[in-house]
Amino acid sequence: MLNQATIEIIKSTVPVLEVHGTAITKRFYEMLFTSHPELLNIFNHANQRQGKQSGALANAVYAAAANIDQLENILPVVKQIAHKHRALGIKPEHYPIVGENLLKAIKDVLGDAATDDIINAWADAYGVIADAFIGVEADMYAQTAAQPGGWDGFRKFVVTRKDQESSAISSFYLKPADGQAIAAFLPGQYITVRATVKGRTNTHLRHYSLSDAPNSDYYRITVKREAGNDAQPAGVVSNYLHDQVHEGDVLEISAPAGDFTLDPAVPSQAPVVLISGGVGLTPTISMLNTLVGKQPERPVTFIHAAIHSGFHALRDHVKDIAEQHPQVTSYVCYESPLAGDTCDHTGYIDLQWLQSVLPEETARTADFYFCGPTPFMKTVLQALKQNGVAADRIHYEFFGPAGSLEA
């Protein structure tokens, strides 16, 4: 436990972190990878270059400082991050390395303003925060390995099938190379692929949502090729999967993880609204497939937005489900339809259109799950709030480091 003097010092640094947090975490990663280049085998290099990782860490540090006397307030965030740490293979021995470099970065950025009292207080606070993460992650490691079909670390899976779903999206069906059982998962969870890419020095780890219902003898991931542009580099692993991985090849993956989930074992008659943009449909497809199998009486509205039909994956699959299950209603939105495209809405999803397709009763009683590019999710979240949807009925997933949709 922290003494009151330490708590007061940490809380006094909250305004400083609000201003300098991203600069501190950016410097932290520079120092970390200089002193421990082996950790580049764990971290996503693209997120580093784009500043996503440093921004997410800054938010986490800020939240920890603001709640240092009531860390239970950030337990949901701890658990969310812990899921990713377990999937990546972060272990207790990594935490002292992180702590040492974080304190150095604070001192380096703040200079003389980072007094010995502040550094010592943050050292004590980091120890408490690290212990919270280590404890949560230890439970996750144990539960994951002990469950039927579970395992620790990375396991070899064979690509038994590869389907082209759209011009930029492919599905990969994965079965364990050892022929043994695989762990169950909740719809919405992801697996982590560890790739060794020719011409690249480090291994690369990426999370990919499972895109089919659980309780099968395979996992399926549906991956968009990230071609890259002036603002964003090409995706190393997504291009590797599309160009170099074929049926019969072997991938290493960690067991399913993630807290953006729909649990079909929890009885409910509440309607479900699934909203996705682009490849954000991967977790919502898993939820849809699960709902029609496990809760076939539950009303489901499936809304998907894409640029046009050329980028729309699994459209026929969703259409078939809607035709076979009268409780499922499906809507398609295209930003820029091609000649001959048919859709229910042209342009972007907005409040007015959502209100036109969702009855007032649905908006009041439904559980909403959505995923997609960050600008898309910001728009959806704002529309749901304006439409009176309660906060505890809104669930969403970031691809990559968690950010904020409130800005």
Side-chain angles (χ1 to χ4, degrees):
M1 295 293 292
L2 298 173
N3 60 45
Q4 190 59 38
T6 298
I7 290 173
E8 289 176 1
I9 291 173
I10 295 298
K11 281 189 167 292
S12 73
T13 65
V14 169
V16 177
L17 291 175
E18 193 170 15
V19 176
H20 299 286
T22 300
I24 291 170
T25 53
K26 181 179 178 181
R27 183 65 179 132
F28 155 74
Y29 282 115
E30 292 171 353
M31 291 179 159
L32 178 69
F33 296 139
T34 298
S35 59
H36 291 274
E38 73 278 5
L39 294 180
L40 286 167
N41 292 307
I42 297 176
F43 287 86
N44 185 317
H45 306 179
N47 288 336
Q48 298 296 328
R49 289 192 298 270
Q50 297 171 51
K52 293 180 180 179
Q53 193 73 56
S54 56
L57 178 59
N59 290 339
V61 171
Y62 176 85
N67 293 275
I68 195 64
D69 53 342
Q70 294 179 306
L71 286 178
E72 64 273 12
N73 291 344
I74 64 168
L75 189 58
V77 176
V78 171
K79 288 183 176 179
Q80 182 185 60
I81 297 173
H83 271 284
K84 294 190 176 184
H85 282 180
R86 199 279 300 158
L88 293 169
I90 302 295
K91 295 296 179 68
E93 57 265 30
H94 292 128
Y95 279 90
I97 298 171
V98 168
E100 177 187 355
N101 285 277
L102 182 59
L103 294 176
K104 287 181 178 178
I106 292 173
K107 184 66 176 178
D108 189 69
V109 172
L110 299 184
D112 292 340
T115 64
D116 288 345
D117 285 344
I118 288 176
I119 294 298
N120 291 335
W122 263 104
D124 291 342
Y126 177 80
V128 171
I129 295 167
D131 285 345
F133 274 97
I134 291 170
V136 171
E137 289 162 17
D139 289 341
M140 288 183 178
Y141 276 109
Q143 292 169 8
T144 299
Q147 68 178 313
W151 71 94
D152 189 16
F154 287 83
R155 183 177 172 188
K156 292 181 178 179
F157 277 67
V158 178
V159 178
T160 59
R161 178 176 158 191
K162 180 179 178 180
D163 291 344
Q164 187 80 23
E165 305 287 9
S166 78
S167 62
I169 298 174
S170 292
S171 288
F172 299 80
Y173 292 74
L174 310 172
K175 289 190 175 184
D178 59 17
Q180 300 300 307
I182 59 175
F185 64 92
L186 291 174
Q189 290 192 305
Y190 54 82
I191 58 173
T192 303
V193 174
R194 181 166 67 183
T196 301
V197 182
K198 186 176 180 180
R200 299 279 178 168
T201 303
N202 303 104
T203 56
H204 295 261
L205 279 66
R206 296 292 187 275
H207 304 307
Y208 291 109
S209 297
L210 292 155
S211 61
D212 205 348
N215 302 318
S216 298
D217 62 347
Y218 66 89
Y219 295 137
R220 184 178 74 178
I221 56 175
T222 301
V223 180
K224 178 187 176 186
R225 178 198 295 274
E226 298 295 347
N229 52 45
D230 292 341
Q232 179 174 311
V236 172
V237 179
S238 69
N239 281 275
Y240 163 76
L241 291 172
H242 276 262
D243 296 336
Q244 301 181 42
V245 174
H246 309 285
E247 292 181 8
D249 288 341
V250 174
L251 294 175
E252 291 184 307
I253 68 172
S254 63
D259 62 350
F260 172 64
T261 58
L262 185 154
D263 190 347
V266 178
S268 177
Q269 294 299 314
V272 177
V273 180
L274 306 172
I275 308 175
S276 55
V279 78
L281 59 66
T282 51
T284 60
I285 285 284
S286 178
M287 293 176 181
L288 174 66
N289 289 356
T290 303
L291 285 166
V292 297
K294 298 291 186 180
Q295 296 180 338
E297 302 304 317
R298 196 169 179 183
V300 181
T301 302
F302 190 93
I303 299 172
H304 182 63
I307 297 174
H308 53 64
S309 61
F311 288 91
H312 189 170
L314 299 167
R315 175 170 183 163
D316 289 342
H317 172 75
V318 175
K319 181 180 178 183
D320 289 344
I321 285 181
E323 290 176 350
Q324 296 167 17
H325 299 272
Q327 82 279 14
V328 176
T329 304
S330 171
Y331 296 98
V332 174
C333 305
Y334 286 152
E335 177 186 338
S336 303
L338 300 174
D341 276 353
T342 58
C343 60
D344 302 291
H345 179 65
T346 298
Y348 298 104
I349 293 176
D350 55 24
L351 174 62
Q352 183 177 3
W353 183 76
L354 281 176
Q355 289 177 328
S356 73
V357 298
L358 295 177
E360 183 178 342
E361 179 70 10
T362 298
R364 188 175 61 83
T365 62
D367 291 313
F368 289 79
Y369 297 82
F370 61 96
C371 184
T374 300
F376 167 86
M377 293 203 298
K378 286 185 176 181
T379 298
V380 171
L381 178 62
Q382 182 180 23
L384 295 182
K385 287 185 172 182
Q386 289 177 342
N387 206 29
V389 180
D392 62 353
R393 291 189 174 274
I394 297 175
H395 316 274
Y396 54 86
E397 170 81 322
F398 277 96
F399 284 161
S404 173
L405 298 185
E406 303 293 346

